[in-house]
């Protein structure tokens, strides 16, 4: 009690002070919250500055279509229907050109079609007399809503025409039912369709003209980046895994950059969405219309498969390997080589994809990795009799790493084939150095005597032919 | 030439017949196309019959709101604004209750807020005079569109309030700008808001009352099903992998059912979407409001990690294992046990999750699997001196399988812990048999002498405490 009263003396806790403190803490809390939000604003804008530009573009388009309201002459010709232009801009304007175009075209086509059918349904129903009209209209609305809602479940429709289906249902209902109340239904449909088309055009034009964001380009970069992430891991893994226990502690800093590959595991959805958008886009930059976007999904799938193997490998990155020195050294050299060469191959593939050049030395790296795998196999076969008493338990982690790495080599080879297919489908450029290789290779094919030469390039191409 | 003319005689190819043939083939093609589409209709409906019901529900809701047009007294009070009810139904009605509720609440709240702000902006702008009014309105529209479009990039906002943001931009623009032309802006805003609220209510009521589809229930089932798929694979793998080469050919039929696990690898997106929807849903069936949906995402992540390991294991299912009989037999028994016990544990976890009972024997299976892993380790240690000349090359696949299986055991254990956490968070029921176990366990903890008993349950719980 004494202590309590003493405290009371020191910090007088009357109502006013309590309130002041509470207000102060609230003030601080709110301030911290605002600072937090501002920081998040900054990170999101910094992560992708195109987001800021996108926001400005939306604002610009909306201001443009709202001009219809401000100028008397424009407003006179469309009247209340002007709001459809605004609605279209808000709903259709998306981040990438592809999705804006897709939504715009969907909206435009669906409105035209459904508008025409709606007018037809209205005339058909009104011909049956005042009693039957609402019943027939109700039936039409019910049936088309049921049918189209079901069609939206079709995977092909869902991927590309989902929004169009929605707008079809909407427009058909509005036009056919409105006809029951509004007399000049054709005039109404005409005004609405024109404003919607205008709104959609504004979106498409602004989205293409002002700093366009191409979904296709994003997909291209994403796939290349994913390859690079795996490449980074494999190169890093080769360096990390066989370090002695003293080195392990200090190298933990670099490990954080290695787990970037984890994001690759869940990239399927993003890739598919981007590919769907990209199909709507016209030719842009290095990409022609009908660029083989499907091939990107195939490569993406192979990359994910490889990432899955890498995830299994990652479990060993923190474990210390205790195998006998001799075995350790033997497996170390070849495993490191496999991992690093695979990493180099992926990085090279990623680089050449980014620049849309034919990959030059990727096949070479893959062959090196395969040769290391073969070497490991033969080493294991030949040296086995020299080991008197090996502890299989200690060898197993090493053996697993080697085995997973062998799987990864196959994955990387498949990715390389996928990129080569893409290169031929999309006519990747032949750089000066890749031309040289092709020329050398041609000579080699003619004169087979030179195959025993030390020339590395020759061996690769020869290998590829065998595959 | 002769043959040709003969053919000409046999099949007179004049214009009419050609046309007829073309028409016939076209007819057949169209018929085949229609049959194909009808078949797809059937499959999609069969895959999930709730899709048909959903389509009928959309039709019903649209017919309900279109009644506003047909009855004179209803139409008189709302006029053209009735179309907002139809628009709301088309756009808001979604497959699951959660997403319909989420969209409906988003739309309702955003319309109310933006409507009020829009009216405010209109009065503010109109107070500045006829010249400044459009400029100020344009500025308001531009600024709020930019700000809210950018806020849509915030991950938390994107997940739950994206649609609300969109509707906010739309309503604010429409209400504030319309005020420039329409005189009775408050009346207009009032009518529009009421019709939108009515439309949203119809959606929510129909979606909850008529055969509701709960996103939460779907998520619950999906996670349980994914666990079962992995369990099936592991049980099957245990049976398959160590079969002799004669058995391999005949067992290929069953293998197709094993690769069901592949779908688990890409389930992240679906799970996250369902969890977001589920958060909107009120309590239903066995799920209370604020059911721990987040925990499902955690378990889902663990399951995918396990599926990734299984994918690495799957590479070995087709390879024939040539290791010496002795090693093969030794590793076979323990590996089979590990795989099958893990499979049983996952199946048990899946089953208990479905029924929302406390998992009874899953921990037991995990312990069995762990014991097998330990047994394998000690076997490898002890028997190693007996093997004179082993071919390490032949042992490596076996060693890898064993090593990956050990990883899987750890994964399964983590999944089990995740499910147990869920069970305590969501108050899973205690079945009669699990009660018995808990009672026995209590006795065991008190009198530790009985630990040497053959009672399996005791060992598990003791093991779990050690973890």
């Amino acid at each position: 009690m004494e202590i309590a009263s003493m405290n009371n003396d020191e910090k007088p806790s009357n109502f006013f002070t309590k309130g002041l403190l509470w207000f102060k803490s609230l003030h601080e809390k709110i301030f911290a919250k605002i600072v937090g939000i501002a920081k998040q604003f900054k990170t999101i804008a910094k992560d992708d500055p195109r987001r800021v530009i996108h926001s400005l573009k939306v604002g610009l388009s909306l201001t443009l279509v709202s001009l219809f309201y401000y100028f008397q002459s424009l407003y006179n010709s469309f009247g209340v229907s002007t709001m459809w232009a605004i609605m279209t801009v808000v709903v259709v304007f998306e981040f990438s050109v592809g999705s804006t175009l897709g939504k715009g075209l969907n909206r435009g086509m669906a409105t035209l079609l459904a508008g025409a059918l709606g007018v037809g349904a209205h005339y058909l129903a009104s011909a049956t007399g005042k009693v039957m009209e609402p019943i027939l209209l109700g039936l039409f609305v019910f049936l088309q809503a049921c049918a189209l809602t079901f069609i939206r479940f079709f995977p092909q429709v869902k991927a590309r025409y989902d929004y169009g289906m929605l707008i079809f249902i909407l427009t058909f209902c509005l036009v056919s039912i409105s006809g029951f109340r509004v007399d000049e239904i054709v005039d109404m449909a005409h005004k609405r369709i024109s404003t919607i088309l205008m709104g959609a055009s504004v979106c498409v034009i602004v989205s293409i003209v002002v700093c366009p964001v191409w979904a296709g380009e994003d997909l291209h970069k994403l796939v290349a980046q994913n390859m690079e992430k795996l490449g980074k891991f494999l190169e890093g893994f080769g360096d990390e895994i066989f370090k002695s226990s003293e080195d392990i502690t200090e190298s933990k800093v670099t490990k954080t950059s290695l787990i970037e590959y984890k994001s690759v595991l869940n990239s399927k959805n993003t890739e598919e969405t981007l590919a769907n958008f990209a199909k709507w886009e016209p030719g842009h930059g290095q990409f022609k219309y009908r660029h083989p976007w499907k091939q990107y999904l195939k490569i993406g799938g192979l990359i994910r498969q490889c990432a899955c193997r890498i995830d299994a490998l990652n479990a060993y990155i923190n474990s210390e390997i205790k195998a006998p020195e001799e075995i350790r050294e033997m497996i170390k050299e070849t495993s490191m080589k496999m991992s690093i060469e695979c990493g180099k191959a992926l990085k090279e593939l990623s680089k050449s994809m980014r620049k849309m050049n034919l990959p030059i030395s990727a096949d070479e790296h893959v062959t090196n990795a395969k040769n290391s795998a073969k070497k490991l196999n033969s080493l294991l076969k030949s040296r086995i009799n020299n080991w008197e008493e090996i502890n299989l338990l200690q060898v197993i982690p090493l053996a697993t790493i080697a085995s997973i790495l062998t799987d990864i080599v196959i994955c990387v080879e498949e990715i390389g084939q996928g990129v080569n297919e893409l290169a031929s489908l999309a006519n990747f450029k032949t750089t000066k150095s890749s031309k040289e290789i092709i020329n050398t290779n041609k000579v080699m094919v003619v004169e087979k005597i030179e195959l025993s030469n030390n020339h590395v390039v020759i061996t690769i191409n020869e290998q590829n032919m065998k595959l």
Side-chain angles (χ1 to χ4, degrees), chain A residues 115 118-123 174-180 182-191:
Chain A
V119 170
H122 160 69
Y123 281 119
L174 286 185
V175 172
S176 66
I177 303 177
S178 294
F180 192 66
V182 183
D183 291 327
E184 291 154 339
I185 181 181
V186 176
D187 182 54
M188 187 199 74
H190 166 247
K191 273 184 185 167

Side-chain angles (χ1 to χ4, degrees), chain A residues 27-38:
Chain A
H27 177 256
E28 273 164 9
K29 265 183 202 161
I30 291 173
F31 186 73
K33 192 94 188 165
I34 290 172
V35 169
I37 291 174

Side-chain angles (χ1 to χ4, degrees), chain A residues 403-424:
Chain A
S403 171
I404 297 176
L405 276 173
T406 317
D407 277 357
I408 287 176
V409 174
I410 296 167
C411 278
V412 172
E413 196 180 10
E414 281 173 358
I415 294 173
Q417 283 165 7
V419 174
N420 280 330
E421 274 169 38
L422 178 68
S424 70

Side-chain angles (χ1 to χ4, degrees), chain A residues 223-232 234-235 340-366 412 415-416 419-420 428-429 431 433-434 437 460:
Chain A
V223 172
Q225 199 186 19
N226 282 350
M227 263 193 281
E228 203 192 331
K229 279 179 185 170
L230 300 195
K232 247 188 204 169
L234 287 172
E235 272 198 349
I340 290 174
E341 289 290 338
C342 280
K344 277 185 185 160
L346 283 174
K347 274 187 163 179
E348 160 71 25
L349 285 171
S350 162
K351 205 174 131 195
S352 73
M353 202 165 140
R354 264 180 225 269
K355 293 189 180 166
M356 297 189 83
N357 292 334
L358 278 174
I360 312 164
S361 55
D363 288 343
E364 185 185 334
H365 290 303
V366 170
V412 172
I415 294 173
V419 174
N420 280 330
F428 277 12
K429 290 186 299 280
T431 52
S433 39
S434 56
I437 289 173
I460 318 154

Side-chain angles (χ1 to χ4, degrees), chain A residues 1 10 18 52 137 153 161 214 263 281-282 297 315 417 451:
Chain A
M1 272 305 282
E10 279 178 2
K18 260 189 184 168
V52 181
L137 278 179
F153 286 114
Y161 307 108
W214 301 100
S263 69
E281 289 175 351
L297 296 183
Q417 283 165 7
L451 268 175

Side-chain angles (χ1 to χ4, degrees), chain A residues 46-327:
Chain A
K46 224 177 177 182
D47 269 2
D48 194 347
R50 298 177 303 173
R51 287 169 177 166
V52 181
I53 298 170
H54 171 70
S55 307
L56 294 174
K57 277 159 76 180
V58 174
L60 175 69
S61 314
L62 268 178
T63 315
L64 277 180
V65 288
S66 61
L67 288 181
F68 280 91
Y69 271 94
Y70 303 139
F71 293 109
Q72 190 65 46
S73 54
L74 281 173
Y75 188 76
N76 283 348
S77 46
F78 296 109
V80 198
S81 290
T82 319
M83 76 169 196
W84 287 95
I86 291 184
M87 214 182 287
T88 306
V89 169
V90 174
V91 181
V92 164
F93 211 113
E94 294 270 328
F95 190 58
S96 67
V97 175
S99 67
T100 308
L101 253 173
K103 267 197 155 177
L105 287 175
N106 260 309
R107 183 160 193 134
M109 293 305 296
T111 308
L112 274 176
L113 254 173
L117 279 176
V119 170
H122 160 69
Y123 281 119
L124 196 70
S126 62
T128 57
K130 269 289 161 203
V131 184
M132 275 300 284
E133 191 181 351
I135 300 174
L136 213 60
L137 278 179
L139 196 73
F140 283 154
V141 166
F142 180 78
L143 288 181
Q144 67 93 24
C146 290
L148 289 182
T149 308
F150 191 78
I151 290 175
R152 284 177 72 194
F153 286 114
F154 278 62
Q156 315 92 302
V157 175
K158 189 145 208 87
R160 299 198 69 187
Y161 307 108
D162 194 51
Y163 187 65
M165 289 290 152
L166 200 74
I167 295 300
F168 190 99
I169 302 177
L170 180 65
T171 312
F172 184 87
C173 291
L174 286 185
V175 172
S176 66
I177 303 177
S178 294
F180 192 66
R181 291 288 165 189
V182 183
D183 291 327
E184 291 154 339
I185 181 181
V186 176
D187 182 54
M188 187 199 74
H190 166 247
K191 273 184 185 167
R192 211 168 272 183
I193 289 171
S194 357
T195 42
I196 286 178
L197 291 183
M198 273 186 289
S201 317
V202 168
C203 288
V204 168
I205 291 168
V206 170
S207 132
I208 293 183
V209 173
V210 187
C211 311
V213 174
W214 301 100
E217 206 181 312
D218 279 7
L219 176 63
H220 182 84
K221 279 181 186 163
L222 178 72
V223 172
Q225 199 186 19
N226 282 350
M227 263 193 281
E228 203 192 331
K229 279 179 185 170
L230 300 195
K232 247 188 204 169
F233 176 90
L234 287 172
E235 272 198 349
F237 183 82
D239 290 337
E240 288 289 330
I241 190 69
F242 291 101
K243 274 186 182 162
S244 57
S245 47
E246 299 113 58
D247 306 330
I248 282 176
T249 40
E250 59 182 277
S251 65
K252 266 191 182 142
V253 196
T254 54
K255 274 175 195 167
T256 47
S257 75
L258 292 186
I259 43 170
E260 272 183 358
Y261 81 90
K262 292 234 182 220
S263 69
V264 179
L265 289 168
N266 294 313
S267 59
K268 191 185 182 196
N269 206 268
T270 321
E271 281 172 14
E272 277 177 357
T273 316
L274 284 176
N276 272 329
F277 291 159
K279 281 178 196 159
W280 290 107
E281 289 175 351
H284 55 279
Q286 305 164 297
F287 311 102
K288 288 184 194 141
Y289 180 64
R290 292 186 171 280
H291 189 77
W293 301 118
K294 244 188 167 176
Q295 184 67 18
Y296 286 87
L297 296 183
K298 194 183 157 193
I299 299 175
L302 293 171
I303 292 174
R304 265 192 302 286
Q305 213 176 338
C306 187
C308 212
R309 303 273 180 283
I310 284 180
D311 199 40
L313 205 58
N314 189 41
Y316 292 93
I317 206 162
N318 290 317
S319 60
E320 210 181 317
I321 287 151
K322 284 178 191 163
E325 196 60 28
E326 191 198 358
I327 307 178

